[in-house]
Structure formats: C-alpha cells, structure tokens
Amino acid sequence: MAATRSLAPRMTDYWWTVYKRTWKGSVVSSFVTPLLYVLAMGVLLGGFIQGDPDRLEGASTYLAFVVPGMLAAQSMQLVFGELTYPVMSGVKWHRTYFAMVATPLSVRDVVQSQVGFVVFRVALSSAVFCLVVAPFGVFATWWGAVVAWLVQLLVALAFATPVFALSSYLKDESGFSLVFRLGMIPMFLFSGAFFPVDNLGPTLAALARLTPLWHAVDLTRMLTVDRLDPLLALLHVGYLAALTALGYVLVLRFLGRRLAS
Amino acid sequence: MSPLTAAAATAQTRRLGALGAVGLLVQRNYVVYRSAWWIFLSGFLEPVFYLFSIGVGVGQLVQGFEVDGRTIGYAAFVAPGMLAAAAMNGSLLDSTFNFFFKLKYAKTFEQMLATPLTTRDIARGELAWSLLRGGTYSLAFLLIMVAMGLVASWWAVLVLPAALLIGVAFGAVGMALTTYMRSWQDFEYVTLATLPLFLFSATFFPLEAFPTWLGWVVEATPLYRGVVLVRELTTGAVTADSVVSVVYLVVLSVAGMLVVSRRLDRLLLG
C-alpha cells in the first residue's frame, strides 16, 4: 500500500465544508485575540519600554520585538485548538475517523488531509496578521516578512503532527486541560514571545531554548528584524523539521492502533 | 451509601434551609471534582505563570510605575492585576461553560429540581462553589505575592474578600448571560468581552497609556474596579475612593443574581 498515491486530496471537499461551517466562530480566536495582544502589549505597554536593539534581540521597538513572538505563538495556539478536542471527537464522540477509514482512505490519508487543513488555517490567519501589523512598521524588510510567513507553515507542521499524535494517544479529554495548562500556556509565556529568554537567568533560559516555540519565535524574529544568523536559522529549521517527522511517525502509529480497535 | 445519597436522604426527611441547600450543592460539586483534582489544582498555576512571565520577564524591560505618588516595581504593579483577572476568569469558567453544560446538556438542574431544591438554591449553590474554587486560587496567589515581597501593606488581608467580591460579581453576571445563550458558539462573545477586559483594565500598564476620554471608559468597566481595588490593598493606597469600587461590584452582583433566579424560573419551571 505504501507505494500507492496519497488519497488525502480526496478529502479536500470534506475539510472545505468544515471550514465553511466553522470559520465565523474562529474569527475571534484566530484574528481578534492576537491583535488585541499586539495592541495591549506591543503598542500600549511598549510605550513604557525603551527600544534598545541590544536588549531586544535586534528589535528597535518593543512592538517590533513582540510581533514575531505573537505570530509564532498564534500559529502554535491555532494548532493546539484544531488538533485536540476535534481529534478526540473523531475517535470518541462523532467517530468520523472510523467512517473515513471504512472507505478506501487509509489512516495516512486521514492524517495528511487534516494536517493539510491545519496548515491552511495557519497560512490564512498568519497572512491576515502580517498584513494588519505591517502598517505599524514592524517589518524591517518586505522579503523578511514573506519568509517569516512561510516559516509559519513549518511551525504549523512542527506542532501539528506531535499534538495530533498526543491527542490520538490520550483516552480521555480531561488530559487536555493539563496539555494546555502545563504545555501550551507556559510555552506561550516563557519561550521568548514576550521577553528575551535571557531575562530568565541561565538555567531557565537553557530550558526555554529546548522548547519548539522558542525555535519558532527566534526564527521568525530573525527574519522580521532582519538579523539573520544563517547557521542558527538552519538549526531552527532542522529542529522543527525533525519534530514534524517524529510526530508524523507517532501519529500514524497511535491513530492506526486506535482505529484498528 | 455515598456521601451524596446520604446527604440527599437527610435532605428528604427535613426541609432544607438556604444554607443547607448551598452546602449540599457545594458537596455535590466536590464529589464530582474529587476524581479530577489535578484539573482543580492546575487552575491555580495559570495566573502564577502570567505573573512570572509578565511581571518578572517583561518587568526587566519596564521601569516601574507610580502608584499613589510612589514608584513601585513592575512585578508589584502587575501582580494585583493578575490576581483580580484570575478571580474574574476562574469565576466565569464555572458560571459560563460549566453552568451552560449543566443547564443544557447534563440536565443537572432539572434533576435537582426534582428534589426539594429551588432555582434560587441552585443559583446560590453554584455561585458558592465557584467562589470556593476562586477563593482557593486567590489565597494561593496572595501567599506567592507575599513570598516574592510584592505586598507592601497590611491592608492586603482584605485582598481575599475583595477577590471573592470580584468572583461574585462576574459569576452572577456570567450566569445571567449564560441563561440567554443558545449554543457553544455564543461563548465566542464571552472571550470577546473578557479578553479586552483582561488586557486593558490597567492590568499591564496604568491608565495614563490611554487618552483621557478612553481612560474614563476603562474606569467604568468592572474588571478595572477590581484591579484598582486589589492594587490599592496590596500597595496600601486605600482611600475613600476605594469604596466606589466595592459599591460598584456589590451592585453588579445583586443585579446579576436577580436576573439569574428570574431566568432559571422561566427556563426550568416554565
């Protein structure tokens, strides 16, 4: 079966229908929320912070510092939202995955199509985000902004496959509260989105640098403030790609086991 | 016999007072949460994470702000804001999402009404439970503030009652609004209302960041009243004006509760 072509594109109409029916509800979480954070933290709180590129990882204002952080964090949060409860719904409540694999679709196709849908969602909302914040003068170069947007697709993948794997592994949705409170929120708050991780002190800063969000934020910020360190950027890309691959292997195994039962 | 059936059995043999009914409902929620204590416990971590991240991490970038003529460090400025916001969020979680689930899906309240409990008992009992939960978190947070040296005054002993008052006000209003909700999609409106409150109620920066007219608007919002009240208590800047916040929150609580019991009567008994 492995040699056959992927049937994932055959699911396009399904996900398009899902999107058409749910996009209104997602407007607040994926567009309004990050913009309010940018306004509150970047513009208003930023007014009280001295813009020093040496202390702000190359950003000349706090707003320019926090925008790439919010962009990457938004990509992460959207993935968590799309691949936790909805996945539990597919295996437990609505059991849509069982219906899908009862057709010629394989587990691999189901996974690829849903991950594709999430990447689409991230692509769309980060594009809107970039367009809205661009007039604030937060992007050093136009191409940096475009590449930073492309990076979000990789960020989406790097979070999507591991989170998908975890959600198909968990038997019960109550575990999600812990995933959010002990995983996503601490990453959001401590992985360099709001302040340079060096402010945490050497030990905690090293710990923060191990998280996928730090790699995502640092890579995005390098591009938006135009201070690219090619070697470090390569490391970030490698880390995120490796995470994507690892998550992919795991989700196929876990979801496959779940759907075979 | 489980504690709940035992309590229900005693309730059947004699008429319940208002306090007894509240106790019974709190006990019911306790039994439900006993098996998921980690969810209960981890709820307190969120504001603490925010305090460390914003207060300590971002705090190294901010000079600090002037409160009552004295300059205080950024962490000491942010911490009371986080506490008040946590009191709001914690109370709203129970009074909106969980309340809606019990009202619409689990039909918990309809079952309760088959017992001697009244709609008023249910409203009071659910609110009491969310206060117990919010109060626990607020107390833990206050102790962390004391340990970090972010409390400058003995007035801070009144922070817990202030946090409970914020909890009652938002809980009552949240419950009242929830009785009008049709589906889970409507909860987007809750986020749409609470997120701006959280971000712009002088939690992260003082009112001076706004133009004057916008500052007046902010001063009239409920979370702002809660934030300044808690901040006045932890910094010791208590004045006669602090009473305004208290009265404001009390009025909000009473109004909310009146709407809740009227609406529950209509939804469950009508």
Side-chain angles (χ1 to χ4, degrees), chain A residues 32-45, chain B residues 77 82 85 88 192-210 214-221 223-225 227-228 231:
Chain A
V32 179
T33 305
L35 292 178
L36 285 175
Y37 266 96
V38 166
L39 198 61
M41 308 298 293
V43 180
L44 293 168
L45 180 62
Chain B
F77 179 85
M82 292 296 108
M88 169 185 84
L192 207 55
T194 53
L195 191 70
L197 285 182
F198 173 59
L199 291 172
F200 300 106
S201 292
T203 29
F204 297 110
F205 42 81
L207 221 48
E208 289 95 78
F210 300 109
L214 203 57
W216 287 340
V217 175
V218 173
E219 284 200 61
T221 60
L223 184 60
Y224 175 79
R225 305 276 27 133
V227 169
V228 288
R231 191 172 287 139

Side-chain angles (χ1 to χ4, degrees), chain A residues 24-29 32-34 36-37 39-41 44-45 48-50 55-56 62 65 174-175 177-178 181-182 185-186 188-190 194-196 198-200, chain B residues 38-40 42-43 45-46 48-50 52-54 56-58 60-63 65 74 93 133 137 185 188 191-192 195-196 198-200 204-206 208-210:
Chain A
K24 277 186 196 145
S26 69
V27 167
V28 172
S29 54
V32 179
T33 305
L36 285 175
Y37 266 96
L39 198 61
M41 308 298 293
L44 293 168
L45 180 62
F48 297 98
I49 294 173
Q50 213 175 15
R55 290 192 67 191
L56 293 177
Y62 183 66
F65 175 85
S174 64
S177 312
L178 288 192
R181 281 176 182 161
L182 300 181
I185 291 174
F188 174 61
L189 291 170
F190 297 104
F194 290 111
F195 57 88
D198 285 330
N199 287 7
L200 288 169
Chain B
W38 68 89
I39 296 181
F40 189 96
S42 63
L45 284 173
E46 202 172 315
V48 176
F49 283 151
Y50 267 89
F52 276 98
S53 170
I54 308 295
V56 181
V58 180
Q60 293 177 39
L61 304 168
V62 187
Q63 292 296 316
F65 291 118
Y74 189 57
L93 190 73
R133 179 170 167 154
Y137 296 161
Q185 268 73 39
E188 290 282 341
T191 318
L192 207 55
L195 191 70
F198 173 59
L199 291 172
F200 300 106
F204 297 110
F205 42 81
E208 289 95 78
F210 300 109

Side-chain angles (χ1 to χ4, degrees), chain A residues 102-123:
Chain A
T103 69
L105 295 167
S106 67
V107 173
R108 196 178 50 138
D109 303 322
V110 170
V111 167
Q112 285 175 356
S113 69
Q114 188 157 359
V115 169
F117 174 66
V118 172
V119 172
F120 161 75
R121 290 283 317 276
V122 169

Side-chain angles (χ1 to χ4, degrees), chain A:
Chain A
M1 283 299 280
T4 55
R5 235 179 48 207
S6 171
L7 292 177
R10 298 284 289 272
M11 297 274 287
T12 311
D13 58 341
Y14 170 79
W15 286 111
W16 181 241
T17 312
V18 169
Y19 186 66
K20 272 195 299 194
R21 291 190 186 164
T22 54
W23 71 273
K24 277 186 196 145
S26 69
V27 167
V28 172
S29 54
S30 54
F31 301 125
V32 179
T33 305
L35 292 178
L36 285 175
Y37 266 96
V38 166
L39 198 61
M41 308 298 293
V43 180
L44 293 168
L45 180 62
F48 297 98
I49 294 173
Q50 213 175 15
D52 177 359
D54 292 330
R55 290 192 67 191
L56 293 177
E57 298 181 351
S60 50
T61 62
Y62 183 66
L63 181 62
F65 175 85
V66 92
V67 158
M70 293 305 305
L71 180 62
Q74 178 203 227
S75 304
M76 169 187 78
Q77 283 175 311
L78 205 145
V79 170
F80 270 90
E82 278 301 321
L83 291 174
T84 46
Y85 292 95
V87 169
M88 190 61 78
S89 169
V91 287
K92 191 172 164 182
W93 301 315
H94 292 126
R95 299 173 72 85
T96 32
Y97 294 144
F98 288 95
M100 290 171 182
V101 295
T103 69
L105 295 167
S106 67
V107 173
R108 196 178 50 138
D109 303 322
V110 170
V111 167
Q112 285 175 356
S113 69
Q114 188 157 359
V115 169
F117 174 66
V118 172
V119 172
F120 161 75
R121 290 283 317 276
V122 169
L124 195 65
S125 54
S126 48
V128 172
F129 184 87
C130 288
L131 288 174
V132 173
V133 296
F136 288 96
V138 290
F139 297 124
T141 61
W142 68 267
W143 63 266
V146 173
V147 181
W149 172 71
L150 288 172
V151 162
Q152 300 317 302
L153 309 186
L154 177 62
V155 174
L157 282 173
F159 281 103
T161 57
V163 174
F164 204 160
L166 183 68
S167 300
S168 30
Y169 180 78
L170 290 176
K171 296 273 174 290
D172 187 23
E173 67 277 10
S174 64
F176 288 145
S177 312
L178 288 192
V179 172
F180 280 91
R181 281 176 182 161
L182 300 181
M184 194 189 81
I185 291 174
M187 264 201 275
F188 174 61
L189 291 170
F190 297 104
S191 295
F194 290 111
F195 57 88
V197 285
D198 285 330
N199 287 7
L200 288 169
T203 324
L204 287 175
L207 202 65
R209 287 196 172 91
L210 292 177
T211 63
L213 187 61
W214 179 73
H215 291 272
V217 168
D218 200 51
L219 182 57
T220 310
R221 189 173 289 135
M222 278 181 181
L223 291 160
T224 60
V225 302
D226 194 20
R227 225 190 222 192
L228 194 67
D229 175 343
L231 216 61
L232 193 54
L234 213 62
L235 173 79
H236 292 326
V237 172
Y239 180 104
L240 296 172
L243 201 60
T244 308
L246 177 71
Y248 186 62
V249 172
L250 290 178
V251 65
L252 287 189
R253 178 177 304 175
F254 294 152
L255 193 65
R257 196 187 296 162
R258 201 71 184 268
L259 295 181
S261 64

